[in-house]
Amino acid sequence: MSKLNIAVICGGYSGEYDISMKSAATIMENLDPAKYEIFQVILETSGWKVSDSLGQECSIVRADFSCDRQGENLKFDAVINAVHGTPGEDGLIQGYFDMLGIPYNSCDVLISSLTFNKGFCNQYLKQTGIRVADSVLLLDPEERSVDEILEVTGLPCFVKPNDGGSSIGVSKVKHKEEMLPAIHKAFEAGNRVLIERFVQGTEVTCGVIRKDGKVTPLAVTEIVFASEFFDYEAKYNSADTQEITPARISDDLYAKCMKISAEIFERLNCKGFFRADFIIQDGEFFLIEVNTVPGMSKMSLMPQMIEHAGLSLGTILDEQISEMVSGKKMAVN
């Protein structure tokens, strides 16, 4: 049998470009070269380019997501999405591939768009019984006064881009006079800004996948950091940050976290890799956010959870690719 052509898309147009490149590297290392022809497709505002295992490059023709490689028209059987932020996590690339009929492993257009909008997603999940912090969503820096915001969130509170990741543009505001600078900082990183009440407690996160057709929570990881919050520096550069798997919480809380995370995955009808982040306060779980294209670098949380669950990233990718390819054949038939 001929090998499947698999595109691992990475890069993107956000501040998470570097993390995306590392995620793609981990994914490509875990794809079996005996089964697949593996291609790295880097998305940049200046253009999209393909690099194969021999280091040969060509430009993507966006009309059909193909490229001409040494006189051969290269097309892809399936796409593994490793683009964090736009256009890989917000529904844009999903709509593009849907139009072309190319299968991909991440959530569809609707769910990607919803989950990328933290405020809308959390309010939607709140209606299904998931606890979230009190919040204010701003479409414009001058939309509401600081006093109006603080009536809802109090102090301290978090100010963050509503449509970003890796804690880029996030501030913890302790004093009233810090609010406006924090809002402007967040608007520099996103189009909308979410301001949330501070919830004191233990920060945990849980990864979920679909295994053998069944929604499967992997593990719960506890996040311990020395900084004010789990910011970009703490996530990727600090030697003081601890990511402890399994989390040091009671068996009941551990099981509850796994259950809630799986329920969110199922309610949103997610695909691919998924992670839900929480704060545990007085035995209750408050959702921080969900991630539908979570980091997959060697130092990221998802690979650690997969290993703890006794699973292989390569095997999971095999199953995702098999589902994508079989689903495409069914759609054609």
Side-chain angles (χ1 to χ4, degrees):
M1 291 181 63
S2 60
K3 297 180 184 180
L4 294 171
N5 289 337
I6 303 299
V8 180
I9 61 171
C10 55
Y13 311 151
S14 75
E16 298 181 84
Y17 180 98
D18 291 341
I19 305 304
S20 172
M21 298 298 287
K22 293 177 181 178
S23 292
T26 301
I27 289 169
M28 289 188 293
E29 287 173 10
N30 284 274
L31 287 170
D32 187 350
K35 298 178 181 178
Y36 315 114
E37 290 287 350
I38 305 162
F39 300 88
Q40 182 183 36
V41 180
I42 303 173
L43 311 188
E44 297 177 338
T45 54
S46 58
W48 299 359
K49 60 183 179 182
V50 180
S51 177
D52 63 19
S53 58
L54 300 177
Q56 298 173 328
E57 291 188 355
C58 60
S59 297
I60 284 284
V61 178
R62 296 197 200 184
D64 62 358
F65 197 65
S66 70
C67 76
D68 291 321
R69 186 181 61 154
Q70 297 179 330
E72 171 197 9
N73 183 244
L74 174 64
K75 294 190 175 182
F76 303 98
D77 296 294
V79 173
I80 302 294
N81 184 6
V83 178
H84 312 309
T86 191
E89 202 168 358
D90 55 2
L92 294 180
I93 204 71
Q94 289 81 1
Y96 169 75
F97 288 132
D98 283 347
M99 292 289 286
L100 296 176
I102 300 173
Y104 51 90
N105 72 323
S106 57
C107 295
D108 64 20
V109 175
L110 174 62
I111 298 307
S112 296
S113 179
L114 172 64
T115 55
F116 194 66
N117 189 316
K118 295 180 176 64
F120 287 1
C121 184
N122 284 9
Q123 289 305 309
Y124 167 75
L125 290 171
K126 181 180 180 180
Q127 303 307 310
T128 71
I130 303 297
R131 290 178 179 266
V132 299
D134 295 331
S135 65
V136 172
L137 180 64
L138 298 181
L139 307 182
D140 181 272
E142 310 300 326
E143 182 180 347
R144 300 180 71 169
S145 71
V146 171
D147 287 335
E148 288 176 320
I149 294 169
L150 293 180
E151 284 182 9
V152 178
T153 66
L155 289 172
C157 62
F158 282 105
V159 180
K160 63 178 73 172
N162 189 54
D163 48 359
S166 291
S167 298
I168 296 170
V170 178
S171 302
K172 182 178 181 180
V173 172
K174 296 181 178 180
H175 306 287
K176 180 178 178 179
E177 59 270 20
E178 298 170 353
M179 180 65 78
L180 283 178
I183 289 173
H184 286 289
K185 176 184 175 181
F187 267 110
E188 289 175 1
N191 296 318
R192 297 182 177 90
V193 167
L194 183 65
I195 305 168
E196 293 180 317
R197 179 181 293 276
F198 173 63
V199 179
Q200 180 73 51
T202 302
E203 184 161 342
V204 296
T205 182
C206 181
V208 184
I209 60 170
R210 199 176 292 274
K211 184 79 173 67
D212 299 325
K214 181 181 178 182
V215 176
T216 305
L218 296 169
V220 181
T221 297
E222 178 184 355
I223 311 295
V224 181
F225 42 88
S227 56
E228 284 282 352
F229 62 96
F230 198 34
D231 59 9
Y232 187 95
E233 186 68 21
K235 285 181 177 179
Y236 302 115
N237 299 320
S238 176
D240 296 325
T241 299
Q242 299 179 64
E243 298 167 350
I244 303 167
T245 309
R248 300 170 301 179
I249 55 179
S250 70
D251 291 346
D252 286 346
L253 286 176
Y254 196 99
K256 186 176 181 181
C257 188
M258 298 267 275
K259 182 175 183 290
I260 294 172
S261 300
E263 287 175 353
I264 294 173
F265 183 102
E266 200 151 24
R267 288 174 190 175
L268 293 173
N269 193 29
C270 289
K271 295 194 306 177
F273 300 102
F274 169 95
R275 210 185 72 228
D277 302 339
F278 303 92
I279 296 290
I280 307 174
Q281 183 184 73
D282 300 326
E284 297 293 342
F285 285 84
F286 287 80
L287 178 68
I288 302 173
E289 65 183 42
V290 300
N291 300 272
T292 56
V293 187
M296 296 296 294
S297 73
K298 290 180 179 178
M299 300 302 294
S300 294
L301 294 161
M302 280 295 295
Q304 296 178 40
M305 294 177 186
I306 290 168
E307 182 178 1
H308 180 79
L311 300 174
S312 158
L313 176 55
T315 301
I316 294 170
L317 290 166
D318 282 345
E319 184 171 337
Q320 291 181 359
I321 291 169
S322 177
E323 289 179 357
M324 286 189 282
V325 173
S326 62
K328 180 179 180 181
K329 289 179 179 177
M330 289 177 63
V332 172
N333 294 335

PDB file of all heavy atoms in Angstrom, residues 59-72:
ATOM      1  N   SER A  59       5.980  25.995  -2.193  1.00  0.00           N
ATOM      2  CA  SER A  59       4.907  26.856  -1.705  1.00  0.00           C
ATOM      3  C   SER A  59       3.546  26.201  -1.905  1.00  0.00           C
ATOM      4  O   SER A  59       3.315  25.514  -2.897  1.00  0.00           O
ATOM      5  CB  SER A  59       4.941  28.203  -2.435  1.00  0.00           C
ATOM      6  OG  SER A  59       6.138  28.893  -2.164  1.00  0.00           O
ATOM      7  N   ILE A  60       2.662  26.426  -0.951  1.00  0.00           N
ATOM      8  CA  ILE A  60       1.306  25.901  -1.050  1.00  0.00           C
ATOM      9  C   ILE A  60       0.476  26.747  -2.012  1.00  0.00           C
ATOM     10  O   ILE A  60       0.506  27.980  -1.970  1.00  0.00           O
ATOM     11  CB  ILE A  60       0.630  25.902   0.343  1.00  0.00           C
ATOM     12  CG1 ILE A  60       1.153  24.751   1.206  1.00  0.00           C
ATOM     13  CG2 ILE A  60      -0.884  25.822   0.232  1.00  0.00           C
ATOM     14  CD1 ILE A  60       0.599  23.393   0.855  1.00  0.00           C
ATOM     15  N   VAL A  61      -0.262  26.068  -2.867  1.00  0.00           N
ATOM     16  CA  VAL A  61      -1.278  26.715  -3.691  1.00  0.00           C
ATOM     17  C   VAL A  61      -2.561  26.721  -2.870  1.00  0.00           C
ATOM     18  O   VAL A  61      -3.167  25.671  -2.639  1.00  0.00           O
ATOM     19  CB  VAL A  61      -1.483  25.956  -5.020  1.00  0.00           C
ATOM     20  CG1 VAL A  61      -2.585  26.626  -5.838  1.00  0.00           C
ATOM     21  CG2 VAL A  61      -0.185  25.887  -5.808  1.00  0.00           C
ATOM     22  N   ARG A  62      -2.976  27.887  -2.412  1.00  0.00           N
ATOM     23  CA  ARG A  62      -4.095  27.939  -1.477  1.00  0.00           C
ATOM     24  C   ARG A  62      -5.431  27.572  -2.115  1.00  0.00           C
ATOM     25  O   ARG A  62      -6.390  27.250  -1.410  1.00  0.00           O
ATOM     26  CB  ARG A  62      -4.183  29.331  -0.845  1.00  0.00           C
ATOM     27  CG  ARG A  62      -2.968  29.680  -0.005  1.00  0.00           C
ATOM     28  CD  ARG A  62      -3.255  30.826   0.910  1.00  0.00           C
ATOM     29  NE  ARG A  62      -2.044  31.479   1.375  1.00  0.00           N
ATOM     30  CZ  ARG A  62      -2.028  32.471   2.245  1.00  0.00           C
ATOM     31  NH1 ARG A  62      -3.154  32.932   2.732  1.00  0.00           N
ATOM     32  NH2 ARG A  62      -0.885  33.024   2.618  1.00  0.00           N
ATOM     33  N   ALA A  63      -5.499  27.616  -3.434  1.00  0.00           N
ATOM     34  CA  ALA A  63      -6.757  27.276  -4.103  1.00  0.00           C
ATOM     35  C   ALA A  63      -7.186  25.845  -3.807  1.00  0.00           C
ATOM     36  O   ALA A  63      -8.389  25.550  -3.723  1.00  0.00           O
ATOM     37  CB  ALA A  63      -6.632  27.483  -5.609  1.00  0.00           C
ATOM     38  N   ASP A  64      -6.216  24.926  -3.618  1.00  0.00           N
ATOM     39  CA  ASP A  64      -6.570  23.536  -3.334  1.00  0.00           C
ATOM     40  C   ASP A  64      -5.653  22.883  -2.301  1.00  0.00           C
ATOM     41  O   ASP A  64      -5.698  21.666  -2.119  1.00  0.00           O
ATOM     42  CB  ASP A  64      -6.569  22.704  -4.622  1.00  0.00           C
ATOM     43  CG  ASP A  64      -5.195  22.654  -5.296  1.00  0.00           C
ATOM     44  OD1 ASP A  64      -4.246  23.299  -4.787  1.00  0.00           O
ATOM     45  OD2 ASP A  64      -5.081  21.974  -6.326  1.00  0.00           O
ATOM     46  N   PHE A  65      -4.845  23.670  -1.598  1.00  0.00           N
ATOM     47  CA  PHE A  65      -3.922  23.171  -0.575  1.00  0.00           C
ATOM     48  C   PHE A  65      -3.021  22.064  -1.144  1.00  0.00           C
ATOM     49  O   PHE A  65      -2.897  20.977  -0.612  1.00  0.00           O
ATOM     50  CB  PHE A  65      -4.669  22.661   0.658  1.00  0.00           C
ATOM     51  CG  PHE A  65      -3.787  22.513   1.883  1.00  0.00           C
ATOM     52  CD1 PHE A  65      -3.204  23.611   2.473  1.00  0.00           C
ATOM     53  CD2 PHE A  65      -3.545  21.265   2.439  1.00  0.00           C
ATOM     54  CE1 PHE A  65      -2.386  23.477   3.596  1.00  0.00           C
ATOM     55  CE2 PHE A  65      -2.731  21.112   3.567  1.00  0.00           C
ATOM     56  CZ  PHE A  65      -2.158  22.230   4.142  1.00  0.00           C
ATOM     57  N   SER A  66      -2.387  22.387  -2.257  1.00  0.00           N
ATOM     58  CA  SER A  66      -1.438  21.467  -2.880  1.00  0.00           C
ATOM     59  C   SER A  66      -0.153  22.227  -3.160  1.00  0.00           C
ATOM     60  O   SER A  66      -0.083  23.440  -2.939  1.00  0.00           O
ATOM     61  CB  SER A  66      -2.001  20.899  -4.187  1.00  0.00           C
ATOM     62  OG  SER A  66      -2.063  21.914  -5.174  1.00  0.00           O
ATOM     63  N   CYS A  67       0.869  21.518  -3.625  1.00  0.00           N
ATOM     64  CA  CYS A  67       2.083  22.203  -4.071  1.00  0.00           C
ATOM     65  C   CYS A  67       2.760  21.365  -5.149  1.00  0.00           C
ATOM     66  O   CYS A  67       2.534  20.154  -5.254  1.00  0.00           O
ATOM     67  CB  CYS A  67       3.035  22.479  -2.915  1.00  0.00           C
ATOM     68  SG  CYS A  67       3.962  21.067  -2.323  1.00  0.00           S
ATOM     69  N   ASP A  68       3.539  22.021  -5.960  1.00  0.00           N
ATOM     70  CA  ASP A  68       4.297  21.342  -7.010  1.00  0.00           C
ATOM     71  C   ASP A  68       5.695  21.048  -6.475  1.00  0.00           C
ATOM     72  O   ASP A  68       6.474  21.964  -6.202  1.00  0.00           O
ATOM     73  CB  ASP A  68       4.382  22.209  -8.260  1.00  0.00           C
ATOM     74  CG  ASP A  68       3.023  22.337  -8.945  1.00  0.00           C
ATOM     75  OD1 ASP A  68       2.305  21.333  -8.978  1.00  0.00           O
ATOM     76  OD2 ASP A  68       2.698  23.452  -9.395  1.00  0.00           O
ATOM     77  N   ARG A  69       5.983  19.763  -6.327  1.00  0.00           N
ATOM     78  CA  ARG A  69       7.275  19.339  -5.784  1.00  0.00           C
ATOM     79  C   ARG A  69       8.014  18.542  -6.848  1.00  0.00           C
ATOM     80  O   ARG A  69       7.628  17.425  -7.161  1.00  0.00           O
ATOM     81  CB  ARG A  69       7.080  18.505  -4.521  1.00  0.00           C
ATOM     82  CG  ARG A  69       8.377  18.141  -3.806  1.00  0.00           C
ATOM     83  CD  ARG A  69       8.125  17.291  -2.584  1.00  0.00           C
ATOM     84  NE  ARG A  69       7.485  16.025  -2.925  1.00  0.00           N
ATOM     85  CZ  ARG A  69       7.594  14.918  -2.195  1.00  0.00           C
ATOM     86  NH1 ARG A  69       8.304  14.925  -1.084  1.00  0.00           N
ATOM     87  NH2 ARG A  69       6.977  13.816  -2.563  1.00  0.00           N
ATOM     88  N   GLN A  70       9.047  19.133  -7.373  1.00  0.00           N
ATOM     89  CA  GLN A  70       9.869  18.486  -8.399  1.00  0.00           C
ATOM     90  C   GLN A  70       9.005  17.954  -9.555  1.00  0.00           C
ATOM     91  O   GLN A  70       9.144  16.811  -9.992  1.00  0.00           O
ATOM     92  CB  GLN A  70      10.693  17.348  -7.787  1.00  0.00           C
ATOM     93  CG  GLN A  70      11.695  17.832  -6.733  1.00  0.00           C
ATOM     94  CD  GLN A  70      12.481  16.693  -6.125  1.00  0.00           C
ATOM     95  OE1 GLN A  70      12.003  15.573  -6.015  1.00  0.00           O
ATOM     96  NE2 GLN A  70      13.715  16.975  -5.732  1.00  0.00           N
ATOM     97  N   GLY A  71       8.075  18.795 -10.008  1.00  0.00           N
ATOM     98  CA  GLY A  71       7.232  18.416 -11.131  1.00  0.00           C
ATOM     99  C   GLY A  71       6.030  17.567 -10.768  1.00  0.00           C
ATOM    100  O   GLY A  71       5.211  17.239 -11.622  1.00  0.00           O
ATOM    101  N   GLU A  72       5.916  17.200  -9.494  1.00  0.00           N
ATOM    102  CA  GLU A  72       4.791  16.375  -9.013  1.00  0.00           C
ATOM    103  C   GLU A  72       3.812  17.261  -8.263  1.00  0.00           C
ATOM    104  O   GLU A  72       4.203  18.100  -7.446  1.00  0.00           O
ATOM    105  CB  GLU A  72       5.309  15.277  -8.082  1.00  0.00           C
ATOM    106  CG  GLU A  72       4.216  14.502  -7.367  1.00  0.00           C
ATOM    107  CD  GLU A  72       4.733  13.728  -6.164  1.00  0.00           C
ATOM    108  OE1 GLU A  72       5.916  13.920  -5.783  1.00  0.00           O
ATOM    109  OE2 GLU A  72       3.960  12.947  -5.587  1.00  0.00           O
TER     110      GLU A  72
END
